[in-house]
Amino acid sequence: MDARTETDVAHVAAAIGDPSRAKVLLALAGGGALPASALAAEAGVGNSTISGHLARLLDARLLTVELDGRHRYYRLATTDVARALEQLALIARPLPVRSLNADTRAKALLRARLCYDHLAGRLGVAVMSALQEREILAVERTGSGGGSPDADAGAGTGGTGAGSLDVAYVLTPHGRQELAAFGIETDRLPRRRASVRYCVDWAEQRHHLAGALGAALTARLFDLEWLRHGKYRRVVHLTDAGREGLATAFGVRGDQVE
């Protein structure tokens, strides 16, 4: 058997499995880059200890490091690492909440957060639902082991609910026009990744939009100042302008994102 047909899942799982390293990965799941000192604070360990954890994550190809002069900044190696973390959260038990600050952070993450470079949480799920209702995205049932996505169609793991068929989302011609009017030229999306993909949101157990389109839409919301970064890492907040704008542009209701 060709060894390249198998992957060393245990090696990656062991790298993620340490609580301190898991905190490092989650701190970077919003797509940013952080120095070792900031990651040590996130993980609750000393600067001397964090170097070993970072080396382990680099060895597992979960992180990359960027040099800026004498400084080193760490980020997730690929968007697939963020997707893997989101999927693991689907089967993980919740962490106990032992303080008011932890409770506030947990509620903010549930409401709206970044999953690497795209929107997740209740807000992300509401936007995804609105895109379907406006027929910007069309749903294709593919069945178990369905067809592979092309540049404008994306599949993901799981379905719209427990036990459902796999689905693919396709960007419609009408959707291209609507998104162009919103400031997103879909024919200029990066071709190195699928345009339309989805993640199964661990909190909502429903889909939020990923892929190049999910990243472009989220970037556009920041450009319009409809989204702003929150106090906690990965957390984002919908501004008043964003609440009104999303309702007008895509029909996202306020009660869907509270």
Side-chain angles (χ1 to χ4, degrees), residues 129-214:
S129 178
L131 294 177
Q132 296 171 62
E133 291 176 3
R134 290 291 178 102
E135 298 183 346
I136 293 171
L137 295 178
V139 180
E140 289 187 349
R141 295 282 177 178
T142 63
S144 181
S148 60
D150 59 26
D152 294 321
T157 54
T160 55
S164 66
L165 297 175
D166 290 337
V167 299
Y169 293 95
V170 180
L171 180 61
T172 66
H174 164 73
R176 288 179 179 276
Q177 296 176 357
E178 288 285 308
L179 291 172
F182 189 63
I184 300 174
E185 297 294 338
T186 55
D187 58 350
R188 296 185 180 180
L189 295 175
R191 293 296 177 181
R192 65 181 181 274
R193 61 195 290 199
S195 294
V196 183
R197 295 189 74 178
Y198 68 82
C199 294
V200 182
D201 196 275
W202 60 263
E204 296 296 305
Q205 302 287 308
R206 294 170 61 197
H207 299 169
H208 64 246
L209 181 63
L213 181 58

Side-chain angles (χ1 to χ4, degrees), residues 25-245:
L25 293 171
L26 290 172
L28 296 170
L34 293 172
S37 57
L39 293 172
E42 289 286 334
V45 300
N47 289 336
S48 59
T49 302
I50 197 64
S51 59
H53 288 310
L54 294 174
R56 183 71 178 273
L57 293 170
L58 287 167
D59 178 67
R61 299 183 181 180
L62 296 169
L63 296 184
T64 59
V65 61
E66 302 168 355
L67 299 179
D68 183 8
R70 293 164 48 188
H71 302 286
R72 296 163 66 90
Y73 292 88
Y74 298 84
R75 67 169 64 247
L76 296 188
T78 67
T79 58
D80 285 335
V81 178
R83 285 173 59 84
L85 293 171
E86 191 82 3
Q87 296 304 302
L88 284 172
L90 285 169
I91 58 175
R93 63 184 181 186
L95 288 169
V97 176
R98 296 192 173 95
S99 68
L100 178 60
N101 184 64
D103 181 62
T104 301
R105 179 179 180 275
K107 290 177 179 177
L109 283 168
L110 294 176
R111 188 179 303 113
R113 65 184 183 278
L114 293 179
C115 178
Y116 198 73
D117 57 2
H118 57 270
L119 191 59
R122 283 197 296 275
L123 180 57
V125 167
V127 170
M128 182 68 155
S129 178
L131 294 177
Q132 296 171 62
E133 291 176 3
R134 290 291 178 102
E135 298 183 346
I136 293 171
L137 295 178
V139 180
E140 289 187 349
R141 295 282 177 178
T142 63
S144 181
S148 60
D150 59 26
D152 294 321
T157 54
T160 55
S164 66
L165 297 175
D166 290 337
V167 299
Y169 293 95
V170 180
L171 180 61
T172 66
H174 164 73
R176 288 179 179 276
Q177 296 176 357
E178 288 285 308
L179 291 172
F182 189 63
I184 300 174
E185 297 294 338
T186 55
D187 58 350
R188 296 185 180 180
L189 295 175
R191 293 296 177 181
R192 65 181 181 274
R193 61 195 290 199
S195 294
V196 183
R197 295 189 74 178
Y198 68 82
C199 294
V200 182
D201 196 275
W202 60 263
E204 296 296 305
Q205 302 287 308
R206 294 170 61 197
H207 299 169
H208 64 246
L209 181 63
L213 181 58
L217 179 58
T218 303
R220 181 63 175 152
L221 296 178
F222 276 114
D223 288 343
L224 292 170
E225 297 185 350
W226 290 7
L227 284 182
R228 62 177 177 83
H229 290 282
K231 171 183 176 182
Y232 304 102
R233 298 200 191 281
R234 294 193 291 152
V235 168
V236 295
H237 295 295
L238 185 64
T239 65
D240 290 339
R243 187 180 303 275
E244 181 178 347

